[in-house]
Amino acid sequence: MDRAEEKQAARTAAALKRDGLSEACRMAWSDTVCQLTVEWLRRRIGEGAAVRSIMAYVPFRSELDTTLLIEWCWRKGLTVVVSRCIRGDRSMELYAIEAWDELMPGAYGIREPDPAAARRCGAGFVPDIVFVPGLAFDGDGGRLGYGGGYYDRFHERMAAAARLAGVEAPLWIGLGYEAQQADAVPMDSHDMVVDGVITELGYRGGTTNGTDPF
Ligand SMILES: Nc1nc2c(c(=O)[nH]1)N(C=O)[C@@H](CNc1ccc(C(=O)N[C@@H](CCC(=O)O)C(=O)O)cc1)CN2
Ligand SMILES: Nc1ncnc2c1ncn2[C@@H]1O[C@H](COP(=O)(O)OP(=O)(O)OP(=O)(O)O)[C@@H](O)[C@H]1O
């Protein structure tokens, strides 16, 4: 089996496993993960870290639900950024949203910012923290996505934008259920690595890039 087949098999298995979690468990764990994430953000802000903007995914299928996290960020006055998928070149466009009604049905059935309602971020914009969705995560920051390469390309783009602007690159934090933790996710050299993962059991990983965000 080559790597592409290995990834495809891992994707199918991980999607089946996540889809098989009961809705009651997914809701409860999503709540806990959002609370843990809020505590972590509070702690960072309290320590004086620059946390002005976060990027979050809008959940689809059985993904961990980020609703409470996004609403907390709004209440705190943080800029909440959400992406639109451009299927042609598999890139993502960023928009700041301030309310749920700025979203509309988009690519792959994922709710996306409505360009007529949300504010498009400038070309050089770099969020402070990116909350990353995934099918599976491992203890080394490895992440398995749906196979579009969207976050891999986006990670490269943000690294370049941060260098150009002379600002810190974002922190990349995976959000998921403990059931999505895997021993080793199949990885290619172009695959992005997350700086840490938060599950309902707590903060995971976090030493991948030499610094522990938790
Ligand atoms: N909430 C959320 N938003 C996200 C992602 C995500 O994982 N979660 N993505 C993370 O990158 C990007 C979207 N990536 C996706 C890539 C493929 C498929 C998809 O439906 N793939 C088919 C199989 C392949 C195909 O037919 O093209 C499938 O799973 O049935 C969905 C989303 C950007 N936005
Ligand atoms: N930085 C990149 N530049 C160009 N192509 C890329 C890049 N990253 C990934 N790709 C291509 O995108 C495709 C999907 O990559 P991969 O299997 O790693 O996706 P994924 O990380 O699971 O997906 P996603 O990030 O959308 O959740 C592959 O064909 C890969 O070669």
Side-chain angles (χ1 to χ4, degrees):
M1 199 163 37
D2 67 18
R3 176 95 68 218
E5 289 168 333
E6 194 190 343
K7 275 190 164 181
Q8 202 44 54
R11 262 183 207 113
T12 306
L16 270 174
K17 186 169 184 190
R18 199 187 64 194
D19 291 344
L21 302 170
S22 75
E23 195 184 352
C25 286
R26 286 191 278 110
M27 283 173 66
W29 293 333
S30 295
D31 242 55
T32 304
V33 170
C34 284
Q35 277 179 38
L36 286 168
T37 307
V38 162
E39 273 172 32
W40 172 67
L41 287 173
R42 272 190 205 285
R43 190 150 39 82
R44 281 189 75 78
I45 293 167
E47 288 165 355
V51 184
R52 286 173 231 95
S53 58
I54 64 112
M55 176 170 162
Y57 62 91
V58 178
F60 84 136
R61 300 184 184 160
S62 54
E63 283 177 340
L64 184 121
D65 191 335
T66 51
T67 302
L68 293 177
L69 170 62
I70 289 174
E71 292 181 346
W72 182 83
C73 291
W74 280 334
R75 286 198 299 279
K76 285 291 162 189
L78 300 180
T79 299
V80 174
V81 171
V82 163
S83 69
R84 255 172 77 85
C85 293
I86 310 302
R87 291 180 84 138
D89 62 359
R90 298 196 165 179
S91 65
M92 298 201 286
E93 277 180 355
L94 303 190
Y95 290 80
I97 62 161
E98 295 181 351
W100 296 117
D101 63 7
E102 293 175 21
L103 298 179
M104 58 183 256
Y108 309 107
I110 305 172
R111 285 184 303 149
E112 294 185 337
D114 175 355
R119 179 173 58 82
R120 176 90 189 261
C121 296
F125 177 81
V126 179
D128 294 316
I129 300 172
V130 181
F131 293 107
V132 184
L135 282 166
F137 297 97
D138 68 26
D140 296 319
R143 160 188 180 268
L144 183 68
Y146 276 107
Y150 282 95
Y151 276 88
D152 302 325
R153 284 186 192 78
F154 182 64
H155 186 269
E156 276 183 20
R157 191 179 115 205
M158 287 300 107
R163 271 197 303 273
L164 197 66
V167 298
E168 291 269 316
L171 266 180
W172 302 80
I173 306 294
L175 299 182
Y177 312 109
E178 190 62 28
Q180 291 175 262
Q181 287 292 118
D183 286 341
V185 162
M187 294 286 279
D188 291 300
S189 55
H190 64 252
D191 282 324
M192 65 158 297
V193 165
V194 294
D195 297 305
V197 178
I198 305 178
T199 78
E200 72 276 13
L201 295 191
Y203 310 101
R204 298 308 202 107
T207 49
T208 325
N209 294 336
T211 51
D212 185 349
F214 304 133

